[in-house]
Amino acid sequence: MPDKVTPGVIFTSRYVFSEKKFSEYINYIDRPAAIRSQAYGLYSVYADYMDDPKKRSPGFNAESNCASALFTATKDKLTAEEKQRLKDQFIKAQKADSPMWQQVISFTNEFLEKNCLYERSSGLLDEDKIRTITRLAMQEEIKDEKMDGAAVWSASIHYNTDNIHVHIALVEPTPTRRRKEFEVKDKDGTTKKEVQFKGNMNKTTFCKVKSKIVNNIVDRSVELKKINEIIRDDIVAEKRSRLTYRDKDLHGAFLNLYRKLPADKRLWNYNMNALSSVRPQIDQFTKLYINLYHKKDYAELMKRLDQEQEYLKSIYGSGKEKLYLQYKITKTNDLYTRMGNAVLRELRDYDKAVKAEHVQLTKKSSARQKLLYRKHCVQSHTESIYNLKKALKKDYENAKNQMAFERLQQEIENEKEYER
């Protein structure tokens, strides 16, 4: 069994209403960067995880592995006056009973090194890029949660564990979220009901934020361009058809498939339940077509899908459900669905031609008229199969071209358990 792969990027979020946590964070704003990583544990709900001494790198030194300067949506470093304004906003949020969301973006060093953001030997980190990524992520979160114009946040990059991470604190000085009744445990262990502003954020928000972080670090455009080149040069450029009505490899399969379809053409859709028994034969026709005309292209496609699958695994980890494995399956199924429907479209045309021929031959016609009509039908059948190949090529191109990374990323991220 393969070892579990740690995600290259983790985004987590919790929220608190605690006056003590608020007060400690407000004091934390004033602390020098050199000792902020130590002070963080006072207000953080992540002290049991992110600041666990057991997770600190060998040779850890609080003075050398400190936090970066506090930064915000618009400032890389705050003046004393700006710090005071920030503290005032957090004090206002606390008095207004706003939750304080404590969030962490954590990176593996391997991921940062691979993407040229970190040099392990020197300990040099591209803090400008990390700040930019954090801002883009927070923009996405605030927009998605409809907190535009109300939310205030500050963040700091920390080096005090094996993984470099960004700590973020977010509040609403003038809360916009709806209130909700919660059960809260008192100090003596008794439970009571309180009305608080809703702190939980939508799961889709976390998926989008994670995708925003990843996609602003990793550029997959080169890989996608290569896939597009396969489509453009190896498939689209091939204009001539070798497929005809009398093609010995496809003719029999085409007619056998036609005979097995239900009489009601409204059911001639690849994903219809009525075609469940015929679908394997449709897939077999697709395989036959690809093997005849796109064998090398298909092999290259599978190779590149494998590469994208490994990329997803490195970013999101293996996960308990191993959802990264679904990428290749999903895209292959999409390919077969599109090509299957292309086959069925052409079979409809073929059916029309057959029925029209039957009607014509039942009429009183001269032998010459019947012969001419039969010739016309043969030509129509030939044209139908020719159109089939063109349709298949078009759908094959579309299926290869539509590499829906962000949708797949969100599906994988939906599996993750996040803290509210």
Side-chain angles (χ1 to χ4, degrees), residues 336-396:
Y336 275 85
T337 298
R338 291 174 180 276
M339 295 184 77
N341 280 324
V343 172
L344 292 167
R345 283 197 299 269
E346 294 306 317
L347 282 164
R348 287 192 197 95
D349 292 341
Y350 178 82
D351 181 71
K352 287 178 185 177
V354 168
K355 289 179 177 176
E357 178 183 4
H358 177 73
V359 170
Q360 183 66 26
L361 291 177
T362 54
K363 294 179 181 179
K364 291 183 180 180
S365 304
S366 66
R368 177 174 173 76
Q369 286 175 320
K370 289 181 179 180
L371 181 63
L372 289 172
Y373 188 74
R374 285 181 185 277
K375 183 178 179 181
H376 167 73
C377 289
V378 168
Q379 291 173 340
S380 296
H381 295 337
T382 302
E383 184 178 342
S384 177
I385 302 297
Y386 174 78
N387 289 336
L388 169 63
K389 181 180 178 183
K390 289 203 298 185
L392 286 172
K393 284 171 65 179
K394 181 180 178 182
D395 281 333
Y396 185 75

Side-chain angles (χ1 to χ4, degrees), residues 287-332:
K287 288 177 184 177
L288 184 57
Y289 168 80
I290 290 174
N291 194 52
L292 284 171
Y293 296 103
H294 293 289
K295 191 172 183 177
K296 289 183 179 179
D297 295 330
Y298 186 78
E300 181 67 12
L301 174 62
M302 292 298 104
K303 175 185 171 183
R304 293 189 179 280
L305 289 177
D306 285 337
Q307 290 170 350
E308 299 310 318
Q309 184 170 276
E310 285 303 306
Y311 158 73
L312 289 166
K313 183 179 178 182
S314 71
I315 295 296
Y316 295 97
S318 49
K320 58 185 178 183
E321 299 296 333
K322 292 183 169 48
L323 288 181
Y324 72 93
L325 294 174
Q326 290 298 313
Y327 183 74
K328 185 176 181 180
I329 296 170
T330 299
K331 297 309 293 180
T332 304

Side-chain angles (χ1 to χ4, degrees), residues 17-111:
F17 291 93
S18 164
E19 289 185 14
K20 182 179 178 182
K21 294 294 184 185
F22 260 93
S23 299
E24 287 294 348
Y25 184 76
I26 291 164
N27 292 332
Y28 165 87
I29 291 171
D30 275 334
R31 287 185 168 92
I35 61 171
R36 190 176 295 119
S37 58
Q38 293 176 313
Y40 181 79
L42 296 173
Y43 94 92
S44 173
V45 294
Y46 290 102
D48 60 331
Y49 166 59
M50 295 307 300
D51 295 293
D52 185 347
K54 293 178 183 177
K55 297 197 173 199
R56 290 174 178 170
S57 304
F60 169 81
N61 181 292
E63 296 299 322
S64 60
N65 292 280
C66 62
S68 73
L70 207 64
F71 66 94
T72 64
T74 57
K75 296 287 183 177
D76 287 350
K77 191 173 182 180
L78 304 180
T79 64
E81 184 181 346
E82 288 165 342
K83 283 182 180 180
Q84 186 57 53
R85 284 202 294 267
L86 179 63
K87 288 166 64 176
D88 291 343
Q89 292 287 74
F90 272 80
I91 292 169
K92 183 179 178 182
Q94 181 183 5
K95 289 179 178 178
D97 297 325
S98 167
M100 177 169 62
W101 290 271
Q102 297 182 17
Q103 302 177 331
V104 176
I105 305 171
S106 179
F107 307 95
T108 63
N109 292 338
E110 293 75 19
F111 173 77

Side-chain angles (χ1 to χ4, degrees), residues 144-155:
D144 236 51
E145 290 294 316
K146 297 180 173 55
M147 297 165 71
D148 306 68
V152 173
W153 63 268
S154 60

